[in-house]
């Protein structure tokens, strides 16, 4: 057993079908009399699902949440929040909406109740990424975490099949990288392996049963654990390279994670033999290839070229990955990184 430091973070989690109906009690508990409810324009109707939990109190809606938390959107929401006198925020949606909830809550020192509707895991983390003038900056702080998270599986039944698969693979990436994080501990190991097992088992069932409550609940449970992993330990090559690819070539977030995960795991495999053995128990004999095959079964994109990355971006991305140092089990070598990115660009299986 290696030595470790473990930090636990108390938060209130409700996990049950229909749990959104308890929103009123949770707002009372936090002393929120007038919440600002946040959604994307596409999910503006989701507010109706909260009607029962909002009875007997005033509330205001801001339906302008957008990907990567642009600060001008946050400013508009902040203006609305001040104008209506809201004293807390409620986010209902995916990582984009939750990001806006975090940005508002942390700026104003307000309580935040989050009702996730995707598998991004953002609701469990102390991470806030914000974009200004095309530049995304990310920071961690304890007060960024939502105070209460309500996992109501019924809110995920309408998540389109394609987006569900991508979102699940995005979650899986948090757990895979947690297994070889420099600050991993026995609890994050347990959570990561359980999450990978549950997600790898449930994701392929989605195509036949997209509204099966049991399958959807498993996916929510797995993504909750993945979010806890992301919150608890440092991420390495995979997350850094996805961040670089997203920022430099404007590639979509969950799709980039899905394409890169098998390749970044294969890159690190020679340096993490014990982790690969543990992954074999939950993914099969060749874990990196198993992830590649899983994304194929989900009909997800498998080539960076298909996401719009130019071929000459491979060398640029490899150089950028070397620029900012971070912990990674295998040393970063420009040639090997270029090879990895080239395979991912062409959509080939990972180097076994
Ligand atoms: P998203 O929040 O951008 O949602 C994508 C689209 O799906 C939106 O139009 C949304 O309204 C819609 N949608 C969401 N749930 C739905 C549902 N159940 N039914 C129908 N439509 C639904 O996507 P995402 O992948 O959840 O989040 C991506 C963002 O989250 C990125 O900006 C990423 O950087 C961030 N993120 C942050 C963290 C963190 O810890 N800070 C973690 C993961 C992702």
């Amino acid at each position: 057993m290696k030595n470790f430091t473990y930090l636990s973070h108390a938060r209130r989690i409700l996990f049950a079908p229909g749990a959104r109906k308890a929103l009123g009690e949770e707002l009372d508990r936090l002393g929120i009399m007038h919440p600002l409810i946040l959604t994307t324009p596409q999910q503006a109707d989701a507010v109706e699902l909260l009607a029962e939990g909002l009875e007997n109190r005033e509330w205001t809606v801001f339906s302008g949440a957008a990907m990567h938390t642009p600060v001008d959107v946050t400013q508009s929401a902040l203006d609305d929040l001040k104008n209506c006198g809201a004293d807390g925020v409620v986010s209902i949606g995916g990582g984009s909406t939750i990001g806006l909830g975090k940005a508002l809550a942390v700026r104003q020192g307000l309580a935040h109740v989050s009702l996730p509707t995707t598998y991004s895991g953002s609701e469990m983390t102390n991470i806030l990424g914000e974009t200004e003038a095309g530049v995304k900056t990310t920071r961690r702080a304890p007060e960024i975490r939502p105070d209460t998270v309500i996992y109501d599986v019924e809110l995920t039944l309408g998540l389109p099949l394609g987006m569900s698969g991508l979102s699940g693979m995005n979650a899986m990436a948090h757990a895979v990288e947690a297994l070889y994080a420099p600050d991993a501990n026995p609890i994050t190991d347990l959570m990561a392996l359980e999450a990978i097992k549950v997600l790898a088992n449930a994701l392929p069932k989605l195509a036949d049963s997209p509204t099966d409550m049991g399958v959807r609940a498993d996916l929510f449970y797995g993504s909750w654990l993945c979010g806890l992993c992301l919150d608890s330990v440092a991420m390495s090559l995979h997350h850094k390279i996805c961040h670089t690819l997203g920022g430099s070539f404007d590639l979509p977030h969950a799709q980039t994670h899905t394409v890169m995960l098998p390749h970044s795991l294969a890159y690190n495999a020679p340096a993490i033999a014990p982790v690969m053995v543990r992954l074999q128990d939950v993914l099969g004999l060749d874990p990196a290839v198993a992830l590649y095959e899983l994304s194929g079964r989900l009909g997800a994109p498998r080539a960076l070229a298909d996401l719009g990355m130019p071929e000459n971006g491979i060398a640029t991305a490899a150089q950028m990955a070397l620029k900012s140092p971070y912990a990674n089990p295998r040393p970063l070598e420009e040639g090997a990184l270029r090879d990895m990115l080239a395979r991912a660009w062409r959509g080939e299986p990972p180097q076994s």
Side-chain angles (χ1 to χ4, degrees):
M1 174 64 68
K2 66 173 190 172
N3 300 338
F4 63 89
T5 302
Y6 173 66
L7 293 176
S8 70
H9 307 290
R11 265 165 294 172
R12 215 174 135 74
I13 314 293
L14 276 66
F15 191 104
R20 65 185 183 281
K21 292 172 193 154
L23 176 61
E25 290 159 38
E26 296 307 317
L27 294 174
D28 286 345
R29 193 182 289 274
L30 292 164
I32 301 176
M33 304 303 295
H34 181 148
L36 182 70
I37 318 275
L38 308 169
T39 73
T40 58
Q42 295 82 358
Q43 281 183 287
D45 292 350
V47 178
E48 288 165 22
L49 299 170
L50 302 182
E52 198 172 317
L54 290 168
E55 272 171 6
N56 305 323
R57 83 184 70 225
E58 275 187 74
W59 41 277
T60 304
V61 179
F62 178 86
S63 294
M67 187 79 119
H68 303 312
T69 328
V71 292
D72 54 334
V73 172
T74 301
Q75 190 53 52
S76 305
L78 203 50
D79 293 343
D80 283 12
L81 187 144
K82 287 177 182 164
N83 288 338
C84 72
D87 57 0
V89 293
V90 171
S91 57
I92 175 165
S96 300
T97 308
I98 297 165
L100 176 60
K102 290 173 167 180
L104 292 174
V106 80
R107 276 171 175 71
Q108 297 300 100
L110 295 176
H112 176 191
V113 179
S114 181
L115 296 101
T117 65
T118 71
Y119 308 124
S120 80
S122 174
E123 68 282 356
M124 291 315 299
T125 79
N126 56 359
I127 305 170
L128 172 60
E130 298 185 272
T131 317
E132 185 161 25
V135 178
K136 186 168 178 178
T137 49
T138 301
R139 63 189 162 117
R140 283 188 187 253
E143 60 275 18
I144 287 171
R145 295 187 185 98
D147 300 270
T148 300
V149 178
I150 300 179
Y151 287 100
D152 181 344
V153 67
E154 292 170 7
L155 298 177
T156 62
L157 299 182
L159 187 65
L161 209 52
M163 219 186 286
S164 300
L166 291 167
S167 192
M169 292 298 287
N170 182 186
M172 186 103 83
H174 312 329
V176 168
E177 286 236 293
L179 284 172
Y180 52 74
D183 47 354
N185 60 65
I187 300 295
T188 53
D189 284 358
L190 282 175
M191 292 193 297
L193 285 169
E194 168 77 353
I196 294 164
K197 186 174 75 179
V198 169
L199 290 177
N201 188 40
L203 280 170
K205 296 181 184 160
L206 261 185
D208 291 334
S209 324
T211 56
D212 182 299
M213 295 275 273
V215 173
R216 289 284 182 181
D218 283 353
L219 291 171
F220 232 4
Y221 165 61
S223 67
W224 168 55
L225 294 175
C226 291
L228 281 169
C229 288
L230 178 62
D231 179 62
S232 306
V233 295
M235 296 286 118
S236 301
L237 173 68
H238 173 76
H239 280 74
K240 306 294 176 189
I241 209 132
C242 288
H243 189 85
T244 300
L245 292 169
S248 309
F249 307 105
D250 201 22
L251 304 191
H253 179 83
Q255 288 86 336
T256 308
H257 273 277
T258 305
V259 172
M260 285 310 304
L261 184 59
H263 298 280
S264 29
L265 178 61
Y267 182 93
N268 277 327
I272 51 165
V275 167
M276 294 306 281
V277 170
R278 301 180 90 179
L279 278 173
Q280 282 176 341
D281 287 343
V282 289
L283 286 174
L285 210 53
D286 190 332
V289 170
L291 289 171
Y292 178 81
E293 284 170 357
L294 177 58
S295 61
R297 268 192 282 165
L298 298 174
R302 290 201 284 190
L304 293 176
D306 293 343
L307 304 184
M309 178 173 160
E311 189 169 8
N312 63 13
I314 293 170
T316 317
Q319 280 161 9
M320 286 176 76
L322 290 168
K323 271 197 184 136
S324 48
Y326 48 84
N328 192 62
R330 178 176 165 191
L332 301 181
E333 300 152 21
E334 190 172 347
L337 285 174
R338 223 182 306 120
D339 289 349
M340 174 192 77
L341 283 160
R343 291 181 88 93
W345 187 83
R346 292 191 294 266
E348 291 170 1
Q351 186 83 53
S352 189

